[in-house]
Every structure is written in structure tokens, then in C-alpha cells.
Amino acid sequence: MNPIRTTCAYCGVGCGISATRTGERQIEIRGDPDHPANAGRLCSKGTHLGETVSLEGRLLHPEIGGKPASWGKALDHVARRFSETIARHGPDSVAFYVSGQLLTEDYYVANKLMKGFVGSANIDTNSRLCMSSAVAGHIRGFGEDIVPASYEDLDQADLFVLIGSNTAWCHPIVYQRIQAARAARGAKLVVIDPRRTETCEDADLHLALRPGTDVALMNGLLAHCRRGGLVDEAFIDASVNVPEGFWDTLDEGNDLWSVAKTCDIAPADLQRFFDLFAAHPRTITLFSQGINQSLRGTDQVNAILNVHLATGRIARPGAAPFSITGQPNAMGGREVGGLASTLAAHMDFAPDNVARVARFWGVKTVAAKPGLKAVDLFRSIREGRIKALWVMATNPAVSLPDAAMVREALSACPFVVVSDCISETDTSRYAHVKLPAAGWGEKDGTVTNSDRTISRQRPLFARPGEVRADWWIITEVGRRMGWKTAFSYERPADIYREHARLSAYQNGGKRLFDIGQHAAIGNAAYDAMEPWRWGGTPFADGRFPTADGKARLVNVEQGPIAPSLKDWPMTLNTGRYRDQWHTMTRTGLSPKLARHRQEPLIEIHPEDAAELGIVEGDLARVSTAQGASIYRAAFADGQRRGEVFAPIHWTDQQSTGGRTGLLPRPLVDPHSGQPGFKSTPVRVEPFPVEWRGFLVAHEVPTQIDAAYATRVRVPQGWLVEFSGNGDPAALARTLLPKGERIEASDAARGQMRVAVLDHGRLKAALYISRTGSLPQRDWLIGQLEAAEAESAMALLAGRPAKPAPDRGPIVCVCFDVGMKQIMAAITDQALTSVEAVGAALSAGTNCGSCRPAIQRLIVETKEVANG
Ligand SMILES: Nc1nc2c(c(=O)[nH]1)N[C@H]1C(S)=C(S)[C@@H](COP(=O)(O)OP(=O)(O)OC[C@H]3O[C@@H](n4cnc5c(=O)[nH]c(N)nc54)[C@H](O)[C@@H]3O)O[C@H]1N2
Ligand SMILES: Nc1nc2c(c(=O)[nH]1)N[C@H]1C(S)=C(S)[C@@H](COP(=O)(O)OP(=O)(O)OC[C@H]3O[C@@H](n4cnc5c(=O)[nH]c(N)nc54)[C@H](O)[C@@H]3O)O[C@H]1N2
Ligand code: SF4
Ligand SMILES: [Mo]
């Protein structure tokens, strides 16, 4: 089989992949050496895509009311319910909630159907939770949502400022590119993040600022630039509009000491940052959710843009503000206008834009005003104003703030349609109609990555069951709602051409987003399309897409720092793990990826934990006014006092109690409508349990009736961790399959050990203890794979007759190398570099995602050795 070139399913880096079919639903994955985003490299998630393409858990047939239905019936039903609702209650009584994980072609037709033909702008997307502050900031600063940077700039910059971004985990190939630039040219790296992440490991400077003080920091930097003569007066004169009184306001109170005090960092560190900034005109500031997901997200974005505009560090090689996008097609969604606040093709709802789009689509019904933004949209559903909802490629019952409110809305909504590739998700439980969508590896179309590069996603497999592409599903519904010609496309290329035509339609250079050169691209050329970047070097001529051709500095003020609340004295920060993707519907299928973090942890400063009586490894409960969740406590001295961090990934499908989405408040930035996910007032307390246990098994139930439980994939089965109170025997019965049973339980000592075999093969093994001492998981997980399990005695002991040394938690998932192995090698062989560890153990030499973690172990081992 010849390899097929496609694009990674996950993040906005948009790495090219070269995939070779090796069997039915089997592929071998390599980085595409010719793709400009990654030049052959892939991170741990891309590398292990092959483990996620089985048909396990897939939704393969349409369902109405939980029962299989034909496509004809399902599409008729959806079209009729939407048409009836619109006829009775008007266009604004229906809504779509879509996603940056749709392809551009899917996204275009969803937007066209809702905004053009239904005539409502009630289509919003999960990009509202992700990029909308960047969009709003770009529009305020530049006049259009333009990311004025490219990955080649990374190869030319001398200073990287990573602000609110855990790049090493979330955009690993960008991080590797930054590291390469540092190795090649000695470029400097500053990381600005309240917690010490692996991105900080090797940085020249880490500013662990007080959360939400980024405006103060950037204003302080700009004031410093002005005092130091770093403002580019010529560039400002020609290209930047400065509001009256801007500099006077800025000078006030922005001295080094005041800023350091507001941000709660050492003045010397702040001075270092200013000095590095002064010394390196080729600066790229990369920002992501630590900036966007804030109640002042848009102002934070503009504070960054202000600095770059005022110092002329934009539209020059190696100098730009760089909003790095999260999802594989976050940018494509912005290009089609998928947000409720944008219309189409980088046009807003100004009357001439509405008229232009109406001419282009040939209808009079085009929505004339913005629709409801995600949080308001779901509030409106709960209040009964929206009566029919179609969710595509997103899991709002988990990922929206105050997810309990979202669940109320979904269950109150008279008609909910969910298009997903996975059958059981926390959201699809509320669906009246489930539509089976094609997933990565089956889809055919285009995506746009962080640096405006459009790449093809190509199908690797035939669509299984009755699965259909999202664009096909949407257009079939549109046709059944009566718009036959407007939605008669035969292939994705037809849609892409129309999208390209609209971008150029009566544009006349007013909108930089113009891909008109593809308006007549042939089908073969579309199929063979190489990755290409639109927009060249935006603003290189010093002109911006505003009325006067100038960019704008925007007056932004820090605003007050929220006081600590009596009932909710701590602050919860939420984000991502290196090897999981959002709600785990796909990465959760990969045993390799599960190795990195097998449970959701609450990371807490050891001194806070001591004060609260929380013991490392025990459970802790985090509560807010919205709800409560349970996590395993992990001490982290890289965490600021008073702040805790939890991952967003676990859902009801993989946990009891470990869901983070229900905790944040449904509060949003006033300009963008983006929720402030990074900072929620919480209470943290110990969660005492009487016993703890775990299960390895080929099959496990989804719902586990314990106070706390989580499950992750292992080869040939699952690992379930659980804890609870009372008699564990009832739980054990629900968890264990039938079969030949061996048991060594000691009720008096609160111990239970059971293994279930089938013709000598281990089906399940369960261990419960009241003291907390339990066998190591690794060997037992391996036993699930063995055709013949080891002796009954070994199984009940939970370790082999001849025990192997404990490897510790897995750091390198590619080569299965554990923390203890790496630490032993560092000490025994006096290794001092990541390369040396790689040469000794192979760790870190494949995808490289664990290299920052290895760096950390080198530092820690040295610290321990030096006492
Ligand atoms: N492994 C993995 N990678 C992913 C994803 C995934 O699910 N898993 N998802 C993708 C998506 S959609 C997105 S949007 C991106 C997100 O990528 P990132 O934005 O890098 O990831 P997060 O973990 O959400 O948050 C980034 C950092 O912001 C910091 N932060 C919190 N508050 C503040 C603050 O007030 N100021 C500053 N300066 N920093 C703060 C947090 O401590 C955190 O380390 O990742 C993409 N890549
Ligand atoms: N507390 C907190 N909450 C957050 C965040 C945070 O940092 N903190 N981050 C926010 C951000 S930035 C984001 S992007 C969101 C992500 O949140 P979600 O979008 O809710 O998360 P995913 O798990 O990516 O959901 C995608 C769904 O689409 C399905 N799917 C995948 N591909 C396709 C396809 O091609 N077609 C169809 N129809 N379905 C498909 C998947 O199976 C899955 O069910 O979470 C947000 N929520
Ligand atoms: S950095 Fe990793 S997850 Fe992101 S596109 Fe590249 S391989 Fe995929
Ligand atoms: Mo995102």
C-alpha cells in the first residue's frame, strides 16, 4: 500500500502525517517530512493515532429515540422538526452548536444553512470557549481576525515569550521548533504562567505571575519600552492609530515596582524580562488559553498586540504576536464565519456585508444580527426560548462551564440532535436523534492550522457501517428543509470552491482573507492540494484592514484583582494533560497515551495541602457554587500558594466524580463571550474514604458505583481505580465477570483479592485494601495480555514469582520507560543531558514529547544529590 498524506486529528499545529494501511482498520503513522508545519516530526498524540482508529465505541447507524433508523427516516425527522419549530416559533428558536473539529467544508455548509437559509445567527461553536478572545482582540487591533505570524517566523526569532501557553504539552511540535531555534541560534525563552509547567523546564526565565494580571504585565512592558526609547515612532506614524491620552494613561502607575507588586513577582525577574525584550527585536509572543480563557481575555490579547504594534515588532521576519489555535480547524471555522458573532468569510453583520452575502447565496433571509454566544445559547435553551438544537463534533455536557446547567438545558430541550463518531458521550445521552459522523481517517476535506496553512485531510479507510461525512448530513437536512439547489453538492471540492469564491466576492482588497485563487480549482487539483498558506505576510506593506488603513492601540487597564472569598478561598485553574485530548473520546482509546496520567489529579502546593490536611495520593474534593468533583491529590511545588490545577479530560464515561467541567462559573469576557475557565473560586478539602482498590479486566462497566472511580485503557482491557466507604463486596460483585474464581480475602484486615480466569487466561483481577497498600498495576496489566496467566499464588499476591524492579510512572510512552528507571540511570551513569538519557534508555528519542519531563528529572536528581 502507498502511504496517504493527511493531517493530524488533534491540535492546531496541524502536522502532516503519512499513513500506510496495514490491515482492516490498521495503519502505520509517520510524520510527513514534506509538510511545512512539522517536517516529519510528530508528538505523542500524533504518533499514537493508530491506536484510536478501531471501531470500538463507534456510532455506526442513525438512531431515533435510541432505536436504529434508516438515514432517510432520520434526515426527514430532523428536517421536519427543525422546519416545524421555525414555522411556529421563528428562526431564532433553533440553534446549531458546532466545533473546530469539523472540516472547513462541513463548517461552511452548517454556517450557510443556519445564517443564510434558516435566517438566524444562532450557530456558535466550541471555538467560543477557545479562540474568541483572540478573534475579538485581533478585530479591535487590526480590523480583521488575522494571525500575523507563521511557523517560519519561529525559525528566525531571537526571543520567544510564551504567555498563558503550556506549549510543551499542547503544541509540542511548535515547542520543539522553538527548542531547535534556541539550539541553533541561542534564542531566548521566557514563559509567563502562574504555575511551573514542563514548558518552563528549560526556559531562560519563568514569571509565575498572579493569575489574571497579564494586562498589568504587558502594560508595564509597554511603559518600559516607551521609557527606554523602544517605541517605533516611524511605524506608529505610518501605520498605527493611537487613541488620545493613551501614553498618559499608560505612564501612570506602571513603574517596575508597582507592576511587580500587582503581578506578585520579583522586581529583578521583571527587570530581566524587560531587558531580554529590549535586547531582542525579533520577538514572537505566543499566547493561548491562559490569555483567552479569562474574564478579561480580550483586553489581555490587546495588551499583547499593543506591545507588538507600538514597538513595530509585527510583519517583520521573526517578529509577531502569535495566537496559537487549539483545535485542528479552529482557523477554518473562523474563515467560514462559524461564530455567532461573525457572518461569513471574515465579514461581520454590517448591513453591506449582509447584503453582499445575501447576493452571493441568492437569498433574502440572511441573518442581519449576531446570534447567541455559547454560554448564552445554552442559557436560552434552558429557559425554553430555543426549542431545537443540533450539536456537531463537540461535547458541551462536559466542556462548557457550569456543565450541570448545560445538562439541565439539554434535558429540557424539546429536540436535540447529536452528530458524533462515538456512540456514548455525556452529551449524546440527551439526544433524541443520533447521527453517525465520519471520523478522522474517513473524512475528506481541508483544515487550516495556526499559521494559516490549509492542508488536506484525506480518507484512509472506507466509511464503516452507515457513517456519513458531516457535510453530507448537513446538506441532506438543508435539502429536505426545502433548499434543494443551495445544498446540492456532490463532493467536498464543490463546497471548497464556493467558499473560496465567497472569500473573493466583491472583496477588492478590503478583507485579507481571500482564497479566490482556488475558486475554480479542479477536483483532481483539490485532491492533490499541497499544504499552502493564505495571506502571505499580512501587514507587510504597513497597511491594516481598517477604514483608515491603520492598526489601533487599544486602551486596556488591569482592573481590580478579585479578592479571596470566604467560602471559596482557593482558585482553580484548569487545562490539559500532555497525552489526552479534551473529553477523551479518541485519545482515551489508546493504552499508550493512558500511561502518562492514569487518573485526574488535583495539583496543590505542599504547604496548602498540609494546612488543609490533604495527604499526597489521597483523595481531595474540590467544590464551587456550581458543583463538586473528586481528584487524587498530587503535591506540586510549581503551583502557587492558594491555587490548584485540574485536568479537563475525565467525563462520566471514564469516571465517577472526576469531572471538571461542572465546576467553573458561567461567567464570560464582555467583548468575546469567552468563559473565564482559568480562574474559579473553590474550596478544597480532604475526601476521606475507608478503602481503595483497583481492577484490571478485559471488560468493565461504564458506571461504577463508588464514591470515586476512574477508568483508562490498557492493552486488552481496562484499569479501574476506585475508592469508597462501607462494604466493598457489593461493588466487587458488579465489577467482576463470571468465570473460574480464585480469592484471598481477609475481611478482618479489610483486604480483598480476587482473580477470575477463563481456561487459564486472566479475565479480571481486583484488589481492595483498607490500608491503601496495593500491588503494582504494571505486571497485572501485562497478565491480561498473556495467553496463560501466572500461578494463582502470584495473581493473588499481585506480583510475579520473581519480581521485576518497579519502573515508576511511565514518562516515555513510545519506549515504555518509567520515572524510576530514568532516575536510576541519571544517578548510576552520571547522565547530565536529555540526549545522554536518550542514548542510555531510548527515552525521548522518538516523538520527543517527554523531553521536558526528562529535563526535570535531571534537575531534580541533581537537587537531591546536592541535598
Ligand atoms: N495534549 C493536548 N494538547 C492540546 C489539547 C488537548 O486537549 N490536549 N487541546 C488543544 C486545544 S483545543 C487548545 S485550546 C490548546 C490549549 O493550549 P494551552 O493554552 O497551552 O493549554 P491549557 O492547559 O488550557 O492552558 C495553558 C496555560 O495557561 C496557564 N494560565 C492560567 N491562568 C493564567 C493567567 O492568568 N495568565 C497566564 N499567563 N497564564 C495562565 C495555565 O496554568 C496553563 O499552563 O491545546 C490544544 N492542544
Ligand atoms: N474547564 C475548562 N473547560 C474547557 C477548557 C478548559 O481549558 N477548561 N477548554 C475549552 C476548549 S479550548 C475547548 S476547544 C473545548 C473542547 O471541548 P469539546 O469540543 O467538547 O471536546 P472534544 O472531546 O474534543 O469533543 C469533540 C466531540 O466530537 C466528536 N468528533 C470528533 N471528530 C468528529 C467529526 O469529524 N465529526 C463529528 N460529528 N464529531 C466528531 C468526538 O467524538 C467528541 O465527542 O473545551 C473547553 N472547555
Ligand atoms: S503537535 Fe502533536 S497533536 Fe498537534 S498536530 Fe502535531 S502531532 Fe498532532
Ligand atoms: Mo480549544
Side-chain angles (χ1 to χ4, degrees):
M1 284 270 185
N2 285 332
I4 295 174
R5 292 172 65 210
T6 185
T7 317
C8 179
Y10 302 117
C11 84
V13 177
C15 296
I17 280 178
S18 167
T20 311
R21 282 269 308 267
T22 52
E24 188 70 26
R25 302 297 301 187
Q26 281 182 348
I27 37 168
E28 205 177 271
I29 299 276
R30 288 189 194 291
D32 177 355
D34 298 324
H35 197 289
N38 59 319
R41 288 179 291 255
L42 291 177
C43 79
S44 49
K45 294 180 294 300
T47 300
H48 295 103
L49 264 169
E51 289 193 342
T52 67
V53 295
S54 76
L55 295 183
E56 188 188 327
R58 281 296 294 270
L59 176 65
L60 294 172
H61 305 280
E63 288 175 19
I64 302 177
K67 298 204 179 60
S70 70
W71 268 113
K73 277 223 166 73
L75 294 166
D76 281 345
H77 185 62
V78 172
R80 200 182 54 216
R81 288 297 302 261
F82 269 82
S83 294
E84 281 172 7
T85 309
I86 294 163
R88 287 187 60 185
H89 305 283
D92 288 332
S93 65
V94 300
F96 293 169
Y97 184 57
V98 303
S99 158
Q101 291 167 76
L102 292 173
L103 302 183
T104 299
E105 292 75 6
D106 306 324
Y107 230 138
Y108 176 86
V109 290
N111 195 55
K112 178 179 178 182
L113 177 56
M114 185 51 90
K115 292 198 182 125
F117 290 76
V118 171
S120 165
N122 282 345
I123 168 171
D124 209 34
T125 133
N126 63 359
S127 286
R128 180 68 58 199
L129 318 179
C130 180
M131 305 310 310
S132 59
S133 295
V135 173
H138 288 150
I139 293 173
R140 284 205 303 188
F142 304 148
E144 184 174 343
D145 175 25
I146 297 291
V147 176
S150 73
Y151 293 148
E152 279 88 83
D153 286 315
L154 301 177
D155 307 333
Q156 300 180 13
D158 295 321
L159 171 65
F160 297 98
V161 179
L162 302 180
I163 180 163
S165 163
N166 186 5
T167 327
W169 280 13
C170 297
H171 297 91
I173 299 304
V174 161
Y175 179 77
Q176 288 186 18
R177 216 157 156 164
I178 291 171
Q179 290 297 66
R182 297 178 68 212
R185 293 195 319 284
K188 299 290 184 218
L189 173 62
V190 177
V191 181
I192 303 168
D193 191 312
R195 56 184 193 123
R196 192 181 67 227
T197 63
E198 281 187 8
T199 305
C200 310
E201 259 347 298
D202 190 40
D204 296 289
L205 178 66
H206 169 215
L207 298 179
L209 84 177
R210 189 200 311 271
T213 59
D214 299 84
V215 170
L217 186 75
M218 285 292 134
N219 279 355
L221 173 63
L222 184 51
H224 173 80
C225 288
R226 187 162 137 86
R227 287 192 295 271
L230 294 174
V231 165
D232 186 337
E233 303 290 355
F235 182 72
I236 292 189
D237 278 350
S239 304
V240 185
N241 227 313
V242 185
E244 190 122 10
F246 181 86
W247 296 117
D248 299 335
T249 324
L250 189 80
D251 287 340
E252 248 169 67
N254 274 324
D255 59 283
L256 183 81
W257 281 271
S258 309
V259 174
K261 186 155 174 269
T262 307
C263 299
D264 192 25
I265 49 182
D269 286 344
L270 187 59
Q271 184 63 50
R272 252 208 74 224
F273 173 43
F274 291 171
D275 292 345
L276 282 168
F277 195 85
H280 300 98
R282 289 188 173 209
T283 303
I284 302 210
T285 304
L286 296 104
F287 61 97
S288 151
Q289 298 318 337
I291 291 298
N292 295 339
Q293 285 174 343
S294 159
L295 300 184
R296 45 174 80 98
T298 307
D299 282 356
Q300 294 181 162
V301 170
N302 283 108
I304 295 169
L305 303 188
N306 283 349
V307 169
H308 278 267
L309 285 167
T311 54
R313 296 184 187 194
I314 188 164
R316 292 174 185 166
F322 196 169
S323 146
I324 35 179
T325 49
Q327 299 176 91
N329 200 29
M331 285 286 258
R334 285 147 72 169
E335 289 155 11
V336 306
L339 288 158
S341 42
T342 58
L343 175 55
H346 280 204
M347 283 177 270
D348 62 12
F349 290 89
D352 56 333
N353 286 334
V354 174
R356 183 177 309 112
V357 174
R359 272 195 299 283
F360 183 83
W361 282 336
V363 279
K364 295 208 172 72
T365 40
V366 171
K369 58 172 192 347
L372 292 169
K373 302 185 177 101
V375 172
D376 290 338
L377 184 80
F378 278 83
R379 202 172 279 136
S380 201
I381 296 169
R382 195 183 54 165
E383 289 164 4
R385 277 175 283 134
I386 287 175
K387 298 167 201 307
L389 171 73
W390 188 353
V391 178
M392 305 175 205
T394 176
N395 200 353
V398 183
S399 56
L400 274 168
D402 193 4
M405 181 277 274
V406 171
R407 288 168 189 229
E408 277 172 35
L410 288 168
S411 65
C413 189
F415 189 57
V416 177
V417 183
V418 172
S419 297
D420 206 293
C421 20
I422 299 296
S423 178
E424 300 299 324
T425 72
D426 285 14
T427 300
S428 73
R429 278 204 214 149
Y430 298 89
H432 301 100
V433 179
K434 289 203 231 176
L435 300 176
W440 183 84
E442 296 145 18
K443 301 193 66 141
D444 187 1
T446 58
V447 290
T448 310
N449 73 1
S450 289
D451 86 339
R452 285 172 281 115
T453 297
I454 297 181
S455 302
R456 289 278 279 117
Q457 263 195 20
R458 296 187 173 90
L460 313 172
F461 305 106
R463 288 188 310 265
E466 290 183 273
V467 156
R468 293 286 180 276
D470 286 295
W471 69 264
W472 182 89
I473 303 172
I474 299 159
T475 56
E476 283 299 316
V477 169
R479 290 160 63 86
R480 283 168 166 79
M481 288 174 78
W483 301 299
K484 287 221 165 43
T485 44
F487 292 95
S488 65
Y489 306 96
E490 277 169 23
R491 52 175 70 80
D494 295 340
I495 303 171
Y496 180 79
R497 281 187 287 268
E498 183 178 312
H499 167 57
R501 266 199 300 124
L502 175 56
S503 74
Y505 182 66
Q506 298 174 352
N507 185 330
K510 283 200 289 294
R511 310 183 300 274
L512 295 190
F513 176 62
D514 181 345
I515 57 168
Q517 68 264 50
H518 278 175
I521 190 172
N523 294 337
Y526 176 82
D527 281 341
M529 191 194 295
E530 289 290 321
W532 69 287
R533 183 184 306 121
W534 64 262
T537 304
F539 322 139
D541 57 358
R543 289 194 60 77
F544 289 81
T546 53
D548 61 2
K550 288 183 173 184
R552 303 180 199 101
L553 296 188
V554 179
N555 253 319
V556 287
E557 278 175 48
Q558 170 55 43
I561 289 152
S564 171
L565 304 174
K566 193 170 121 285
D567 289 341
W568 321 107
M570 297 187 79
T571 304
L572 171 69
N573 177 4
T574 60
R576 292 153 169 82
Y577 281 166
R578 188 188 81 195
D579 290 352
Q580 292 297 347
W581 177 261
H582 298 164
T583 71
M584 291 168 82
T585 60
R586 293 173 294 154
T587 44
L589 296 168
S590 161
K592 285 269 195 191
L593 294 179
R595 303 305 305 267
H596 179 240
R597 290 279 187 278
Q598 290 178 331
E599 285 178 275
L601 306 176
I602 187 81
E603 288 171 57
I604 183 166
H605 192 281
E607 288 169 30
D608 283 338
E611 276 177 18
L612 293 164
I614 291 171
V615 177
E616 172 140 57
D618 279 4
L619 298 178
R621 188 178 126 108
V622 179
S623 41
T624 69
Q626 290 68 243
S629 288
I630 300 161
Y631 303 87
R632 195 164 297 289
F635 286 9
D637 59 8
Q639 198 61 48
R640 286 168 53 95
R641 295 291 309 269
E643 293 161 26
V644 289
F645 178 86
I648 60 174
H649 306 294
W650 274 262
T651 70
D652 281 352
Q653 310 300 313
Q654 310 98 350
S655 81
T656 307
R659 196 153 53 75
T660 297
L662 52 86
L663 300 174
R665 301 168 293 185
L667 300 182
V668 300
D669 174 271
H671 305 283
S672 65
Q674 179 154 356
F677 281 126
K678 292 291 184 258
S679 175
T680 303
V682 294
R683 186 168 61 237
V684 184
E685 58 211 337
F687 185 76
V689 283
E690 287 165 11
W691 40 262
R692 174 177 181 181
F694 76 93
L695 165 81
V696 294
H698 290 288
E699 305 282 342
V700 301
T702 316
Q703 307 295 317
I704 296 161
D705 192 15
Y708 166 88
T710 59
R711 57 170 202 167
V712 291
R713 263 278 170 213
V714 298
Q716 309 275 326
W718 298 88
L719 166 67
V720 180
E721 298 278 344
F722 52 85
S723 290
N725 298 305
D727 183 5
L731 173 67
R733 270 195 300 278
T734 67
L735 291 178
L736 286 166
K738 292 203 173 44
E740 177 201 334
R741 198 176 153 113
I742 50 174
E743 182 162 358
S745 295
D746 179 344
R749 285 174 53 207
Q751 274 216 10
M752 190 165 178
R753 295 185 166 209
V754 187
V756 180
L757 295 139
D758 180 20
H759 295 94
R761 185 154 188 228
L762 182 68
K763 280 174 85 177
L766 173 129
Y767 305 79
I768 296 176
S769 147
R770 284 183 193 274
T771 59
S773 93
L774 290 163
Q776 275 168 40
R777 287 35 167 190
D778 268 11
W779 178 74
L780 285 158
I781 291 169
Q783 288 294 297
L784 280 181
E785 290 182 274
E788 182 109 18
E790 272 209 41
S791 71
M793 216 165 70
L795 287 176
L796 293 177
R799 63 182 134 74
K802 226 174 97 215
D806 174 12
R807 291 184 294 168
I810 299 298
V811 173
C812 171
V813 296
C814 294
F815 293 109
D816 255 344
V817 189
M819 188 172 92
K820 290 190 180 165
Q821 285 172 287
I822 296 175
M823 292 179 83
I826 292 170
T827 319
D828 299 348
Q829 304 173 41
L831 307 179
T832 54
S833 69
V834 176
E835 282 65 35
V837 171
L841 299 170
S842 297
T845 57
N846 185 42
C847 78
S849 287
C850 63
R851 293 169 65 91
I854 297 173
Q855 174 71 34
R856 177 87 215 135
L857 292 176
I858 293 170
V859 172
E860 270 175 16
T861 314
K862 208 189 293 164
E863 279 167 8
V864 169
N866 296 342

